[in-house]
Amino acid sequence: MNIQNFSLSEKLVSSSYVRQGLQARRGHEQLVRVLLQQGKCPEEGWSESTVELFLNELAVMDSNNFLGNCGVGEREGRVASGLVAKRHYRLIHGIGRSGDIAAVQPKAAGSSLLNKITNSVVLDVLKFTGVRSVSSCFVVPMATGMSLTLCFLTLRHRRPGARFILWPRIDQKSCFKSMLTAGFEPVVIENVLEGDELRTNLEEVERKIEELGAENFLCVHSTTSCFAPRVPDRLEELAVLCAKHDIPHIVNNAYGMQSSKCMHLIQQGARVGRIDAFVQSLDKNFMVPVGGAIIAGFDENFIKEISKMYPGRASASPSLDVLITLLTLGANGYKKLLAERKELYGHLAQELSALAERHGERLLHTPHNPISLAMSLNRLQTHGTAAVTQLGSMLFTRQVSGARVVPLGVEQTVSGHTFRGFMSHADAYPCPYLNAASAIGITRDDITLCIKRLDKCLKSLSKEACGEKSESGSPAEDVDDLTVAAFLITSVV
């Protein structure tokens, strides 16, 4: 409805009513105007009706939705299912062109605008969550692992003679395989144990650089968000080393956007040293379906190089999902979720610590990890590794998802490389443990139920262990049990 159509409507409906409708329409349009002018996440979230109006306006700008369109090409945005068309708001053409994921499509002005707006809004979010000097970013329709691979493949053109990627160990398969998929050999740096925490071995990093030669390293591949007792890498020190030896630095910030501490590490690393790009997941940080990531950095030209390395067009679904989410939440809504997550981290730590104490365990001291917590399982280990792994199975069948039980001595071979003590980020961590995380979207009820079910599982396993002991007990103990049983039967009769 434009001004002319509203004027014509006054012939059919009272002009006062039409003017009221026009004012309401202008309210929606004003929000869209501010978004296009500023390219920032709105302070307050939009209503669903405003979001849908905006998306429908974008969709009618794509050629597949032109009323008189006659398509004779091989890719004309045709969709067989109406349900599929609705799911994508009829934005069918995707983003980018065959040579550049950031390029504008002549046939899809609406989808191209969606792509540009999403990248601009996400850049604003990166800034207000802590990385204020970030200069460029783009949403890519791949999860974190493949997005890291894209960064490594881009660096290959800058450092054609490089063979190795220096990687402080984190026991997560996708980040390890991202380096192998790009065709490079990971040089694994074992972590050092400081108290309960596993931290970056800076001396070994420098020794390996001297041993193999800085020119032979494609980059340093560091990590922020991780499972306790591992903690974020010493990003500032690594960034200084990278600047000193002229080695690129790629950061895996998978779910670090929700942590001000992780974002501060990236900001400081870029300030004092070198960070070329950092990659974060969409689903873990924005509560959208799996399948997208944000690649960001401090050199706009390098980020453009990465976007041009992506072959072909790309799905617009991740961009659409995160844009809808951010427009609905608004900056204030997203900040509120981050604040709640941080508060509940403290609550989870208190509850887990109290539970651990009741069962003769302890909460591992990992103050440098702002998201994940770990509780020792030493008493369970006395009954064997099977008891430790059984706890994980019991929690899963009781609908406690996300809790990780890490036993001792697990060996895992990933693409030819054998990790001892796999899942614990170390060859021989001192104790088995259970992980729980306070991630964005967690609620107090989630924590209450988790602690309640974990408590029951630990009690059940303790009783089972006691039962096994009594079965192999002394004859006197067996006689006492029989006597008690006989007395109870007699009493009942």
Side-chain angles (χ1 to χ4, degrees), residues 455-482:
D455 186 36
K456 285 185 176 180
C457 289
L458 289 170
K459 286 177 179 176
S460 176
L461 286 170
S462 179
K463 286 179 181 178
E464 284 183 22
C466 290
E468 289 174 6
K469 285 182 180 178
S470 66
E471 286 174 10
S472 58
S474 65
E477 289 174 335
D478 293 338
V479 169
D480 288 342
D481 289 341
L482 288 170

Side-chain angles (χ1 to χ4, degrees), residues 144-153 156 163-170 172-189 217-223 250 252 414-415 417 419:
T144 309
M146 286 302 295
S147 298
L148 288 166
T149 296
L150 190 65
C151 294
F152 301 144
L153 290 172
R156 181 193 289 276
R163 290 178 50 206
F164 307 110
I165 294 178
L166 196 148
W167 181 63
R169 175 177 170 179
I170 174 171
Q172 205 271 340
K173 292 180 183 178
S174 65
C175 53
F176 184 73
K177 294 174 76 173
S178 70
M179 298 178 283
L180 299 173
T181 302
F184 294 95
E185 181 181 336
V187 175
V188 182
I189 304 297
F217 282 97
L218 180 81
C219 66
V220 170
H221 176 194
S222 63
T223 304
I250 305 296
N252 175 8
V414 182
S415 300
H417 185 95
F419 291 92

Side-chain angles (χ1 to χ4, degrees), residues 380-394 405 407-408 461 464 468:
L380 271 187
Q381 183 64 38
T382 61
H383 307 305
T385 300
V388 175
T389 56
Q390 187 181 351
L391 175 61
S393 300
M394 292 174 72
V405 171
L408 295 176
L461 286 170
E464 284 183 22
E468 289 174 6

Side-chain angles (χ1 to χ4, degrees), residues 154-163 184 214-219 245-248 274:
T154 305
L155 284 174
R156 181 193 289 276
H157 293 274
R158 291 192 171 193
R159 299 172 72 86
R163 290 178 50 206
F184 294 95
E215 71 281 359
N216 293 314
F217 282 97
L218 180 81
C219 66
H245 295 284
D246 192 27
I247 299 175
R274 177 172 181 174

Side-chain angles (χ1 to χ4, degrees), residues 35 39-41 116-125 323 326:
L35 175 66
K40 295 182 177 181
C41 186
K116 298 290 185 182
I117 292 170
T118 301
N119 291 341
S120 181
V121 168
V122 167
L123 183 65
D124 180 49
V125 176
L323 182 62
L326 289 173

Side-chain angles (χ1 to χ4, degrees), residues 106-359:
K107 286 196 284 190
S111 293
S112 299
L113 188 55
L114 167 77
N115 189 27
K116 298 290 185 182
I117 292 170
T118 301
N119 291 341
S120 181
V121 168
V122 167
L123 183 65
D124 180 49
V125 176
L126 286 169
K127 289 179 177 180
F128 74 62
T129 51
V131 187
R132 299 197 175 278
S133 61
V134 62
S135 64
S136 183
C137 76
F138 68 99
V139 172
V140 60
M142 302 186 294
T144 309
M146 286 302 295
S147 298
L148 288 166
T149 296
L150 190 65
C151 294
F152 301 144
L153 290 172
T154 305
L155 284 174
R156 181 193 289 276
H157 293 274
R158 291 192 171 193
R159 299 172 72 86
R163 290 178 50 206
F164 307 110
I165 294 178
L166 196 148
W167 181 63
R169 175 177 170 179
I170 174 171
D171 290 354
Q172 205 271 340
K173 292 180 183 178
S174 65
C175 53
F176 184 73
K177 294 174 76 173
S178 70
M179 298 178 283
L180 299 173
T181 302
F184 294 95
E185 181 181 336
V187 175
V188 182
I189 304 297
E190 292 294 333
N191 300 301
V192 291
L193 186 64
E194 297 181 9
D196 288 332
E197 293 183 327
L198 289 165
R199 306 210 67 185
T200 314
N201 189 339
L202 293 170
E203 291 182 3
E204 182 65 10
V205 168
E206 188 136 36
R207 192 185 72 78
K208 280 294 181 182
I209 292 173
E210 297 292 342
E211 177 189 329
L212 298 173
E215 71 281 359
N216 293 314
F217 282 97
L218 180 81
C219 66
V220 170
H221 176 194
S222 63
T223 304
T224 55
S225 53
C226 54
F227 297 118
R230 196 193 191 281
V231 300
D233 280 319
R234 298 182 188 271
L235 242 59
E236 291 182 48
E237 293 89 338
L238 287 174
V240 169
L241 283 174
C242 288
K244 173 185 172 182
H245 295 284
D246 192 27
I247 299 175
H249 186 186
I250 305 296
V251 180
N252 175 8
N253 188 43
Y255 48 99
M257 272 190 76
Q258 58 192 279
S259 162
S260 57
K261 183 176 287 188
C262 290
M263 297 300 273
H264 177 72
L265 286 173
I266 294 171
Q267 175 65 32
Q268 287 297 101
R271 186 182 66 82
V272 302
R274 177 172 181 174
I275 292 179
D276 294 75
F278 56 104
V279 179
Q280 37 275 307
S281 163
L282 288 184
D283 62 281
K284 296 184 185 78
N285 293 295
F286 296 103
M287 297 185 288
V288 295
V290 172
I294 303 164
I295 299 177
F298 306 90
D299 178 356
E300 190 172 349
N301 291 328
F302 179 57
I303 301 304
K304 283 183 179 178
E305 278 185 49
I306 299 174
S307 71
K308 289 179 180 179
M309 182 60 63
Y310 187 96
R313 293 173 177 80
S315 169
S317 290
S319 296
L320 182 61
D321 289 341
V322 74
L323 182 62
I324 291 172
T325 300
L326 289 173
L327 292 179
T328 303
L329 287 173
N332 290 337
Y334 189 63
K335 289 174 184 176
K336 182 182 177 183
L337 287 173
L338 298 182
E340 288 172 353
R341 184 213 70 79
K342 193 171 185 178
E343 179 187 344
L344 288 173
Y345 172 84
H347 178 61
L348 176 61
Q350 289 177 356
E351 292 295 307
L352 207 54
S353 179
L355 176 71
E357 190 175 341
R358 290 199 299 272
H359 290 275

